[in-house]
Every structure is written in structure tokens, then in C-alpha cells.
Amino acid sequence: MAVATTRDEGNTVRADGERPAGPDSGSASRPRKALTIGAVAKILSQEFDDISISKIRYLEDQKLLSPRRTQGGYRLYSQTDVERLRAILRMQRDEFLPLRVIRQELATGDFTGSRRGSEAAATRRAASVEAPVSMLSPEELLDQAGVSEGLLRELQEFGIVQPDRRDGRSVYDETDLEIVRAAAELSRFGVAGRNLRVFVSSADREAALLQQLVGPALRSRSQARRKEAIENLESLAAVCGHLKHLLLVRDLRRLKGN
């Protein structure tokens, strides 16, 4: 039996997996009615080939979306919900951001793109395990970080920055750039490159621990298992970073005398 559909300003409101919402009292004066999940999937499919009803439901399960529900339990999406979902999908596709980072971005309340410049996107890529990063020449790194060659040499000497070699020259990525920027900020307080070795040692030990946890999956021939392992690395890195920050705050609180 064919499924009946209703239409609102040219958009199909009834689609796969969801029952159409009934008339909305007082909606005649509203420019757009709420959309069902199927209609949202159809609208976004023009930009995102892999969008599906199940994917939208998954993002809702991850607390990234909160559409209104009818008394019968059917989802109704506003235009704001659609734009929020569009922003989520773009962050996944264009910036390879994990859901935990996307959740932080959405928490700012601005997901229209006004805050999403190329520099901010590069900073987020630098902090991601999975996202591909751009390569920089020494000159580009010095220019973008605003530091001296002397500081860069010092950071390399103590293993804080570890460039690759290509065609006989050192090259850096966006993560190196953010490391140099952080080191430069600490240098303003008198923290020298040799003092930063403690961070390298800590990171090495954490990386060794995580390798024990997900190493076998990363070496798997299964693409799905490898992808899951990389996602787990992202989550574990976030938890480790949060725990380390909390431990530091606890010690600093004691230092402060609280």
C-alpha cells in the first residue's frame, strides 16, 4: 500500500520511518511547519549522500539533537534543528571532528558558521587523532607561531617538537604548530624548553598505555575494527587529558592553600 504524504511549502513532510504529524493549531501564520525525520533526511541528502534516518536517530541518542516530540512520540524538527544537524554533519565531513568535540562546539550556542574560520578548524584538527593535518615548512611554522628560530631549535633539541624529513628538509604539521604556540606562551613565564620534557615523558607513558589497550585493533585487517579503534583513541585521549587536568587542579588547589 502506498504511503500517503503531506507537503508544506514544497517539502515532503511524511517520509520513511516516521508518521506524519497532525495539523498544528495556529500554524497558518507560521512561515514553516515542523518537519518529520524523513523530511529532514530528504532535505539534507542534497548535501550529504550518506545521511539516513538511522544516522539522525544515532546523533539524537548521542544528545547532539533534541527535536520536539508529539504526544504519540514522533519527532518534529524545527528549522533550527535542521541547521544544527547540518552543522554537525559538516563538522564530521569537513573537519573530521569526533562527537565529543562537536558537542563542545555546539555548546557555544553558535553553529551558524560565523565562528568557524580556517584557523579555528586547523586548531581542532591539530588536537584530533584521526583528522588529516596540513604540512608546514620551517618558515611557515615560524611565521604562523610568531616565534624565533632560537626557540624552535630549543624545542627540537629537547624533543618537544619532532618534525619529519622530506626531501632533506624538516617539515611540521598543524599539531607541531600548536605545540610551539603553547611552548611560546609558557616561555613568557620563564618556562624553558628543558622544563617541558616532563610533558613529553608523561605523553609517552600515556601513549604506551593506550597502545596496550587498542594496539591489536589498530593492526587489524578489518577496516571497521580499525575505525572503531581510532574512535576509541580519541575518547581515551580526552579522558586522559581531563583526568590529568583534574589532578593538576587538585595539586594547585593545595598549593594555593585551599
Side-chain angles (χ1 to χ4, degrees), residues 77-106:
Y77 292 80
S78 67
Q79 282 302 122
T80 300
D81 292 328
V82 175
E83 291 310 311
R84 183 183 179 93
L85 179 55
R86 193 189 306 276
I88 292 169
L89 297 173
R90 284 176 177 171
M91 281 186 265
Q92 286 185 310
R93 181 193 64 190
D94 302 339
E95 301 178 46
F96 305 92
L97 297 184
L99 294 184
R100 61 176 179 81
V101 178
I102 292 175
R103 190 174 291 107
Q104 294 168 0
E105 288 295 310
L106 295 174

Side-chain angles (χ1 to χ4, degrees), residues 3 6 21 33 37 49 58-60 63 90 96-98 108-109 112 114 120 137-138 141 183 212 215 223 246:
V3 178
T6 59
K33 292 180 182 177
I37 192 171
D49 294 336
Y58 171 75
L59 294 174
E60 181 183 341
K63 310 302 182 185
R90 284 176 177 171
F96 305 92
L97 297 184
T108 65
T112 61
S114 59
S137 68
L141 183 140
Q212 294 178 25
Q223 185 176 359
L246 292 174

Side-chain angles (χ1 to χ4, degrees), residues 12-26:
T12 300
V13 177
R14 170 68 169 90
D16 297 340
E18 288 289 343
R19 192 172 163 187
D24 203 354
S25 59

Side-chain angles (χ1 to χ4, degrees), residues 31-216:
R32 295 184 182 180
K33 292 180 182 177
L35 302 172
T36 62
I37 192 171
V40 172
K42 182 176 181 180
I43 291 170
L44 294 177
S45 66
Q46 299 175 21
E47 181 177 354
F48 305 98
D49 294 336
D50 62 342
I51 190 64
S52 65
I53 289 174
S54 61
K55 184 170 185 177
I56 297 175
R57 285 174 175 159
Y58 171 75
L59 294 174
E60 181 183 341
D61 291 340
Q62 295 301 307
K63 310 302 182 185
L64 295 172
L65 292 168
S66 299
R68 182 166 62 89
R69 295 268 188 161
T70 67
Q71 290 184 349
Y74 300 110
R75 299 167 176 83
L76 292 178
Y77 292 80
S78 67
Q79 282 302 122
T80 300
D81 292 328
V82 175
E83 291 310 311
R84 183 183 179 93
L85 179 55
R86 193 189 306 276
I88 292 169
L89 297 173
R90 284 176 177 171
M91 281 186 265
Q92 286 185 310
R93 181 193 64 190
D94 302 339
E95 301 178 46
F96 305 92
L97 297 184
L99 294 184
R100 61 176 179 81
V101 178
I102 292 175
R103 190 174 291 107
Q104 294 168 0
E105 288 295 310
L106 295 174
T108 65
D110 180 0
F111 45 88
T112 61
S114 59
R115 296 178 61 255
R116 311 190 59 76
S118 58
E119 183 175 346
T123 301
R124 283 184 287 271
R125 288 196 303 270
S128 171
V129 174
E130 185 177 12
V133 289
S134 301
M135 306 307 295
L136 305 168
S137 68
E139 295 77 16
E140 290 172 329
L141 183 140
L142 292 172
D143 178 62
Q144 294 187 34
V147 301
S148 66
E149 290 186 36
L151 177 60
L152 181 58
R153 282 196 301 270
E154 181 183 2
L155 295 176
Q156 289 183 196
E157 178 184 352
F158 290 101
I160 312 305
V161 175
Q162 300 173 355
D164 290 330
R165 300 288 294 182
R166 293 188 181 178
D167 299 326
R169 293 198 68 194
S170 295
V171 292
Y172 306 83
D173 61 26
E174 290 166 322
T175 302
D176 293 317
L177 173 61
E178 293 305 314
I179 291 173
V180 171
R181 284 172 169 165
E185 183 66 20
L186 288 173
S187 71
R188 294 177 53 241
F189 295 88
V191 181
R194 64 179 179 275
N195 303 129
L196 300 178
R197 281 293 305 165
V198 63
F199 295 105
V200 176
S201 299
S202 175
D204 288 345
R205 288 195 296 269
E206 289 178 35
L209 173 62
L210 298 189
Q211 183 178 21
Q212 294 178 25
L213 297 175
V214 300

Side-chain angles (χ1 to χ4, degrees), residues 129 210-211 214 218 228-238:
V129 174
L210 298 189
Q211 183 178 21
V214 300
L218 287 172
E228 182 183 5
I230 293 173
E231 292 175 351
N232 288 338
L233 270 181
E234 292 276 11
S235 299
L236 287 168

